[in-house]
Amino acid sequence: MHERDPQSQVSDAHSPCVASAPIFALVDGNSFYCSCERVFNPSLINQPVIVLSNNDGCVISRTDEAKAVGIKMGDPLHLISDIIKRHRVRVYSSNYALYGDMSARMMTTLAQFTPELEVYSIDEAFLSLGGFAGRDLADYAREIRRVVRRDTGIPTAIGIGPTKVLAKVANRAAKKNKTSGGVLNLCDRAAQNSVLAEFAAADVWGIGARSAAKLARMGVTTALQLRDADVDAVQKLLTIVGRRIVLELRGQSCLALEMVQEDRKQIVSSKSFGRPVYKLTELKEAVANYATRACEKLRRQKSACHVLSVFVQTNRFKDIAQYYNSATVNMGTGTASTTRLIAAANGALETIFRDGIEYKKTGVILSDLRPASAIEFSLFDDQHKHAQDTKAMNVMDAINARMGRDTLKVGACGANANVNASGAVKIGAPAWTMKAAMRTPCYTTRWQDLLKVG
DNA sequence: TCTGGGGTCCTAGGACCC
DNA sequence: TCTGGGGTCCTAGGACCC
């Protein structure tokens, strides 16, 4: 990779399209989950709104109005009940079916503006604007914002820069600065200098709390200082990851746009329980359900799993003797069969289960994933049985896709373990099921939840 | 009573082999 | 019984992200 002189950025920004110079835009939905709720409930506009994590545990999305009354990201619900009452904060359980669908709409809209798009997370996408270097990029970004707002109802912010890290910085600065109109272009060196000087090193993408503390000890607290720091010294402190961040801040692109979503290398399904769980039978049922979810994801990406792990743990916030344990099973021949993996998971669970413990969480991890098309059978494998299994799984997936999740499932998952249509726990549901007391309907994904007009 | 879930990448160190 | 170096592979743990 050839290094570009950081100074050249100034001229790049004004010269006609330089094919080799990448330009990234980061588009992200403001308070995404809250914004999704607002789309279907306009009475939430201008109100403080928060969306909660699983089990209605803590705050994972909040509007500006909620930030203004002092609610922070990650705040446990039970510690902010005063604020909620005092300021009439509107509180919602998370509704991933709705957010996922809104996300897909947003991404489809963004794809109209450039074929080179990386869906980075549920509410963020990197766009390559390299081909638009002749245009006023901030203008173009404002047009993108307008259309996304018009077609999906979601407000966004857009940051533009010659690298992903600078686009991220631009995005955050655009959000913070209310006069920016939600768009900031950091392609030009002078703009970089002034913004980075006011930007905390701790807020740079890839710099977490640990790294920020290390940098502070070295006297680096702003993004500008980080950019101009000795790159070898930073690498010594923060490994190759830190080096890349410094180079990206200098305008040298190290992180490419990744347009194709690679297959997952690991699939995790785990959840905390709505209530304490003590019995092996209950844990087994939970594990069977999580394994079922994991297997669905596994088959969706057409992989087979060779290693399965199960873990159990107590509530780490509770002042009780803590217990954590995990067990790993080598599956031998790769498999994507729900029944096989549930059997393995429950067998593993038995080896780590201890009586008399108040369990809070369990989970299933599938790893060493390889293409299902290339499963290598040993001499002793029953290939006929494997083929039957595969057929059965295909039928189950097809029916569940058509009739709704869990229409068909294996017996080990328990007969009444169903959460209701929108995912909330039914009365009399097993203790392990999740709590979601304030979930909105699935407006966009379920016929019976369609919004009625008039 | 009440504190999420699902991912990735990097490195160090041990096991093992020649 | 003692003497090495060097390579690969695997895993656990750390750090970070949304």
Side-chain angles (χ1 to χ4, degrees):
Chain A
M1 192 194 308
H2 76 283
E3 294 202 7
R4 277 182 290 119
D5 176 0
Q7 297 298 329
S8 72
Q9 291 307 315
V10 180
S11 48
D12 277 359
H14 299 290
S15 60
C17 175
V18 180
S20 60
I23 299 175
F24 298 92
L26 177 65
V27 184
D28 92 330
N30 301 341
S31 312
F32 186 70
Y33 297 166
C34 292
S35 295
C36 291
E37 299 292 346
R38 276 179 169 167
V39 168
F40 294 95
N41 184 354
S43 81
L44 300 179
I45 292 166
N46 295 327
Q47 300 298 312
V49 182
I50 58 175
V51 170
L52 303 173
S53 65
N54 283 336
N55 280 315
D56 295 339
C58 56
V59 178
I60 55 171
S61 178
R62 63 222 214 282
T63 61
D64 286 341
E65 296 82 0
K67 291 173 196 172
V69 299
I71 296 176
K72 288 188 283 299
M73 200 67 172
D75 274 352
L77 177 63
H78 67 101
L79 293 184
I80 56 171
S81 46
D82 281 355
I83 301 183
I84 288 172
K85 237 178 263 166
R86 192 157 2 107
H87 298 282
R88 299 173 192 277
V89 177
R90 311 286 293 268
V91 181
Y92 290 91
S93 306
S94 42
N95 181 346
Y96 289 105
L98 175 64
Y99 311 149
D101 187 63
M102 292 300 289
S103 172
R105 291 172 191 218
M106 185 171 96
M107 300 310 170
T108 304
T109 306
L110 290 176
Q112 297 166 15
F113 290 90
T114 170
E116 294 178 287
L117 171 137
E118 173 186 342
V119 176
Y120 178 69
S121 74
I122 193 162
D123 71 330
E124 281 172 273
F126 284 102
L127 277 55
S128 164
L129 299 185
F132 302 87
R135 301 177 63 151
D136 182 325
L137 294 177
D139 261 359
Y140 193 51
R142 278 186 280 272
E143 174 66 4
I144 295 174
R145 276 191 90 221
R146 190 184 66 78
V147 174
V148 171
R149 184 66 186 256
R150 182 194 69 195
D151 292 358
T152 68
I154 301 290
T156 55
I158 303 183
I160 302 164
T163 67
K164 281 184 164 180
V165 168
L166 282 170
K168 271 273 192 183
V169 169
N171 177 279
R172 291 203 48 161
K175 252 184 215 173
K176 221 185 221 170
N177 183 348
K178 297 296 166 197
T179 65
S180 69
V183 170
L184 180 62
N185 182 354
L186 276 189
C187 281
D188 149 301
R189 178 79 173 178
Q192 291 167 12
N193 287 340
S194 62
V195 169
L196 293 180
E198 301 297 317
F199 201 89
D203 292 338
V204 172
W205 190 39
I207 303 293
R210 303 292 179 122
S211 301
K214 287 183 194 170
L215 288 171
R217 260 177 261 136
M218 181 174 138
V220 171
T221 56
T222 72
L224 190 69
Q225 289 171 326
L226 180 57
R227 182 195 74 183
D228 296 335
D230 179 74
V231 74
D232 293 316
V234 173
Q235 173 162 6
K236 220 170 156 191
L237 214 59
L238 308 180
T239 76
I240 189 75
V241 177
R243 180 183 203 91
R244 281 201 285 258
I245 292 171
V246 170
L247 295 180
E248 286 250 326
L249 284 171
R250 292 178 182 177
Q252 184 182 325
S253 180
C254 306
L255 306 170
L257 196 76
E258 288 167 25
M259 290 166 57
V260 285
Q261 162 76 59
E262 298 290 327
D263 284 344
R264 303 259 171 252
K265 294 168 179 164
Q266 168 182 292
I267 292 171
V268 179
S269 180
S270 74
K271 266 176 208 62
S272 299
F273 305 130
R275 286 175 274 147
V277 164
Y278 302 89
K279 289 189 290 202
L280 178 61
T281 51
E282 287 183 301
L283 280 176
K284 278 188 166 179
E285 204 172 286
V287 161
N289 279 275
Y290 301 162
T292 301
R293 287 284 161 274
C295 288
E296 285 164 2
K297 288 191 198 173
L298 186 67
R299 291 195 293 271
R300 218 173 296 142
Q301 71 170 36
K302 301 191 184 342
S303 294
C305 151
H306 291 74
V307 172
L308 171 145
S309 308
V310 178
F311 68 87
V312 291
Q313 69 184 53
T314 42
N315 188 344
R316 63 200 163 102
F317 296 103
K318 226 170 174 177
D319 192 17
I320 52 174
Q322 295 291 307
Y323 179 67
Y324 173 91
N325 211 345
S326 67
T328 297
V329 186
N330 192 325
M331 298 303 298
T333 308
T335 183
S337 156
T338 301
T339 45
R340 262 199 80 194
L341 286 162
I342 286 179
N346 277 336
L349 176 63
E350 282 177 24
T351 70
I352 53 175
F353 175 82
R354 303 275 180 280
D355 240 331
I357 288 177
E358 180 183 322
Y359 294 96
K360 178 61 179 174
K361 184 175 180 176
T362 183
V364 173
I365 302 166
L366 308 183
S367 51
D368 195 356
L369 310 185
R370 305 179 216 163
S373 56
I375 293 179
E376 287 169 29
F377 295 97
S378 81
L379 212 51
F380 308 103
D381 284 324
D382 184 342
Q383 291 200 40
H384 177 66
K385 173 89 171 55
H386 170 82
Q388 275 187 324
D389 248 5
T390 304
K391 212 178 273 176
M393 292 302 125
N394 288 343
V395 169
M396 193 163 86
D397 289 339
I399 289 177
N400 287 339
R402 191 148 20 104
M403 315 280 287
R405 168 182 276 192
D406 285 344
T407 301
L408 212 58
K409 56 183 185 178
V410 256
C413 292
N416 57 2
N418 271 319
V419 287
N420 76 19
S422 56
V425 174
K426 283 196 307 197
I427 301 296
W432 61 266
T433 47
M434 209 171 65
K435 210 161 56 175
M438 295 155 281
R439 177 134 44 191
T440 47
C442 299
Y443 304 104
T444 60
T445 51
R446 294 176 57 85
W447 288 109
Q448 56 269 54
D449 289 341
L450 273 181
L451 208 53
K452 292 176 187 66
V453 180

